[in-house]
């Protein structure tokens, strides 16, 4: 019986994890986000950060797909390094990531996003990479009066990410 339980747990882990970065995948993200906003109102503000790697195609085209995979793993490691215990970090696919968590207010969410930028800069400075990592991010704070479902929260964070990508990064 214990071997069966271990086998089932291992299979669940495989289904919910991205094989390259070892982060959670889209399936884990959807389940976690539904739990966060579908349950009783949280004491702290639920947020969603959407993150997209800038110039990822250039890394693949210039340095090869193995370096592209390495870049994704490094971004995942940076996100793990800045995330708080209890945050869910997800690789949604390709070069897109999300983080779902709770903070006291919007200022803490903004400071968290700025910490991502600082950690990426440190990776570029000290990581010895032949490429420069860069990400664009956008966030949305869950508000039940505005976001009537998970998709609306995702769209709000995604839209904020694309505005950031255009205005800050020029992409």
């Amino acid at each position: 019986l214990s071997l069966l339980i271990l086998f089932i747990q291992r299979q669940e882990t495989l289904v919910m994890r991205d094989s390259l970065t070892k982060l959670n995948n889209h399936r884990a993200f959807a389940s976690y986000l539904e739990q966060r906003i579908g349950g009783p109102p949280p004491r702290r503000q639920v947020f969603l950060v959407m993150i997209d790697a800038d110039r990822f195609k250039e890394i693949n085209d210039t340095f090869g797909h193995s370096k592209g995979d390495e870049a994704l793993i490094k971004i995942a490691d940076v996100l793990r390094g800045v995330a708080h215990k209890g945050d869910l970090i997800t690789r949604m696919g390709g070069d897109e990531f999300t983080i779902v968590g709770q903070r006291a207010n919007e200022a803490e969410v903004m400071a968290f996003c700025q910490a991502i930028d600082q950690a990426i800069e440190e990776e570029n400075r000290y990581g010895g990479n032949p490429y420069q990592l860069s990400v664009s991010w956008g966030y949305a704070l869950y508000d039940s009066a505005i976001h009537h479902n998970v998709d609306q929260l995702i769209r709000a964070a995604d839209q904020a990410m694309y505005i950031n990508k255009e205005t800050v990064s020029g992409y």
Side-chain angles (χ1 to χ4, degrees), residues 57-77:
K57 184 178 181 331
E58 284 180 30
I59 293 172
N60 272 336
D61 291 349
T62 304
F63 301 102
H65 290 278
S66 64
K67 287 292 182 187
D69 287 350
E70 176 186 284
L72 294 173
I73 292 167
K74 287 183 184 241
I75 291 170
D77 290 343

Side-chain angles (χ1 to χ4, degrees), residues 134-152:
S134 175
V135 299
S136 295
W137 49 261
Y139 66 86
L141 303 171
Y142 175 67
D143 181 340
S144 61
I146 298 170
H147 309 112
H148 301 291
N149 58 45
V150 168
D151 289 337
Q152 289 179 344

Side-chain angles (χ1 to χ4, degrees), residues 23-153:
L23 292 175
N24 295 291
N25 65 18
H26 189 272
R27 183 174 291 156
F29 165 80
S31 174
Y32 185 83
L33 192 55
E34 283 286 347
Q35 289 173 350
R36 280 283 172 238
I37 69 172
R43 293 191 329 253
R44 299 174 61 152
Q45 185 73 51
V46 173
F47 71 89
L48 167 62
V49 179
M50 302 289 287
I51 302 159
D52 186 69
D54 299 329
R55 297 184 303 273
F56 180 68
K57 184 178 181 331
E58 284 180 30
I59 293 172
N60 272 336
D61 291 349
T62 304
F63 301 102
H65 290 278
S66 64
K67 287 292 182 187
D69 287 350
E70 176 186 284
L72 294 173
I73 292 167
K74 287 183 184 241
I75 291 170
D77 290 343
V78 164
L79 298 178
R80 278 188 197 94
V82 297
H84 294 188
K85 184 178 180 181
D87 291 349
L88 180 84
I89 311 166
T90 304
R91 178 175 176 218
M92 298 298 280
D95 62 347
E96 296 177 350
F97 300 84
T98 64
I99 301 176
V100 177
Q102 294 180 327
R103 298 294 185 276
N105 53 45
E106 185 171 2
E108 284 189 13
V109 176
M110 180 57 107
F112 173 68
C113 292
Q114 290 168 341
I116 293 170
D117 288 339
Q118 292 170 345
I120 291 286
E121 286 176 25
E122 286 184 29
E123 174 60 35
N124 285 331
R125 197 172 310 128
Y126 304 114
N129 307 317
Y131 45 79
Q132 290 289 299
L133 294 176
S134 175
V135 299
S136 295
W137 49 261
Y139 66 86
L141 303 171
Y142 175 67
D143 181 340
S144 61
I146 298 170
H147 309 112
H148 301 291
N149 58 45
V150 168
D151 289 337
Q152 289 179 344
L153 179 64

Side-chain angles (χ1 to χ4, degrees), residues 5-21:
I5 292 170
L6 286 172
F7 175 77
I8 291 170
Q9 288 174 337
R10 176 75 176 133
Q11 294 305 307
E12 286 178 359
T13 298
L14 290 173
V15 168
M16 302 292 246
R17 295 269 180 208
D18 173 60
S19 61
L20 177 65
T21 62

